Amino acid sequence: MDRRNFLTGTAALVAAGPVHAQENFPSHAITIINAFPPGGANDIVTRPLASAMEPILKQPVVIETKAGAAGQVGAQVAASAKPDGYTLLSHNTGISGYAEVDKMFGRPVKTSRADFIPLARLIADPCVLLVNDQQPYKTLKDFVDDARKRPDAIVYSSGGLYGATHLPMAMLEKAVGGLKLRHLPTNGGGPAITAILGNNAQATAQSVSASLTHIKAGKLRPLASFGAKRSKALPDVPTLKELGYDVEYYLWVGIFAPTGTPANVTKVIRAAIDSSRAAHERRMRNT
């Protein structure tokens, strides 16, 4: 991720002046529930945000990890929290499909988009198809050709069934046509990266933000980007569209409040996030 673009794309930010407490909000610590384990995109961008918000809101902003079920556990905890602004949720693309997955399996819908108010989008990263340094593949063609020869032999890891990093691999399998890979679901992007680093999986699709450190260290090799154009952080990595596959996928990370949170409270939080972004960009310009 380009650190100069950290916290860009905040969604629906209202025009606001300096952040002042309204009706004494906040009067105590705010908790942001991270629905995923450490090491993934949510963790990487939410912790710096929390630190930047504290001096603006003049209250502690605490990250509490509630991982599991491709982010559904954390989403359920946040959805059932008191809608007062003191419990927020850090989530990603996967939140959009929970209701549909429950319906597909005939289960009662536990959480849906209607349970949350979107406050800000922190990043929207293209995913990249990655293999580890123990694999021989240098190009996407190498990978696809071998996968065709050995159905179900190549294992890919994801952050959980039907979650944000399972979807791009399913899309790739469909676009290539007849590609059969074995799926190793974990409980988040961080564990999925750990699985490929340890060669328990040979491939994965992860965001640029979550994987860039490992790519630069030579531990993970990017074969293709799911973005519409090449990533500035990985200019030598071709897009799937360049390679003839009509696939485009981004993993976004956002902050949410439970539905019912008062408008004056969400206004304060949105303005604090926007101020945090501006402060970060000023620091980056001075470094």
Side-chain angles (χ1 to χ4, degrees):
M1 178 181 64
D2 183 347
R3 297 298 175 183
R4 294 182 185 276
N5 291 332
F6 175 74
L7 294 181
T8 57
T10 48
L13 288 171
V14 294
V19 180
H20 297 296
Q22 299 185 28
E23 297 181 2
N24 297 319
F25 178 85
S27 62
H28 57 271
I30 292 172
T31 297
I32 301 179
I33 293 173
N34 178 14
F36 302 93
N42 281 76
D43 187 60
I44 288 170
V45 300
T46 305
R47 290 189 183 279
L49 171 69
S51 296
M53 289 174 66
E54 286 187 343
I56 295 168
L57 294 173
K58 295 180 174 56
Q59 293 292 342
V61 181
V62 180
I63 304 295
E64 184 175 337
T65 299
K66 295 287 185 182
Q72 287 202 54
V73 171
Q76 290 172 38
V77 172
S80 61
K82 185 177 180 180
D84 56 8
Y86 289 101
T87 302
L88 307 176
L89 173 68
S90 171
H91 218 287
N92 62 29
T93 316
I95 200 171
S96 302
Y98 292 151
E100 287 73 15
V101 172
D102 282 338
K103 291 174 184 176
M104 182 171 64
F105 287 99
R107 303 186 298 234
V109 173
K110 294 179 282 294
T111 56
S112 72
R113 286 172 289 183
D115 293 315
F116 303 101
I117 299 170
L119 299 177
R121 187 183 70 193
L122 307 184
I123 61 167
D125 260 5
C127 281
V128 284
L129 174 64
L130 302 160
V131 295
N132 65 34
D133 58 358
Q134 299 180 51
Q135 305 310 310
Y137 318 117
K138 304 299 182 185
T139 66
L140 178 66
K141 184 178 184 303
D142 293 341
F143 179 82
V144 170
D145 287 349
D146 190 42
R148 289 191 189 282
K149 292 175 186 175
R150 302 187 302 133
D152 294 319
I154 298 174
V155 178
Y156 75 89
S157 58
S158 83
L161 285 166
Y162 308 106
T165 57
H166 179 195
L167 296 178
M169 292 300 293
M171 292 168 67
L172 178 62
E173 285 181 302
K174 182 177 180 180
V176 172
L179 199 65
K180 293 184 178 180
L181 307 171
R182 287 174 59 197
H183 182 200
L184 173 64
T186 69
N187 66 347
I193 292 173
T194 299
I196 187 175
L197 289 172
N199 204 35
N200 294 310
Q202 291 77 57
T204 191
Q206 299 293 330
S207 70
V208 174
S209 301
S211 57
L212 189 58
T213 299
H214 303 294
I215 293 171
K216 289 183 174 180
K219 298 296 185 181
L220 298 180
R221 185 183 309 126
L223 301 182
S225 168
F226 286 75
K229 57 184 180 181
R230 296 193 182 197
S231 168
K232 291 181 180 179
L234 299 170
D236 296 329
V237 179
T239 67
L240 286 168
K241 289 189 174 182
E242 286 179 63
L243 299 173
Y245 300 106
D246 189 18
V247 179
E248 185 177 338
Y249 182 87
Y250 295 83
L251 190 155
W252 53 255
V253 172
I255 300 295
F256 299 82
T259 294
T261 303
N264 65 302
V265 170
T266 60
K267 181 177 180 179
V268 170
I269 297 169
R270 283 175 169 147
I273 293 172
D274 198 29
S275 295
S276 300
R277 176 190 59 81
H280 176 81
E281 291 180 348
R282 285 195 300 271
R283 286 195 299 271
M284 293 303 299
R285 284 196 295 269
N286 294 328
T287 57

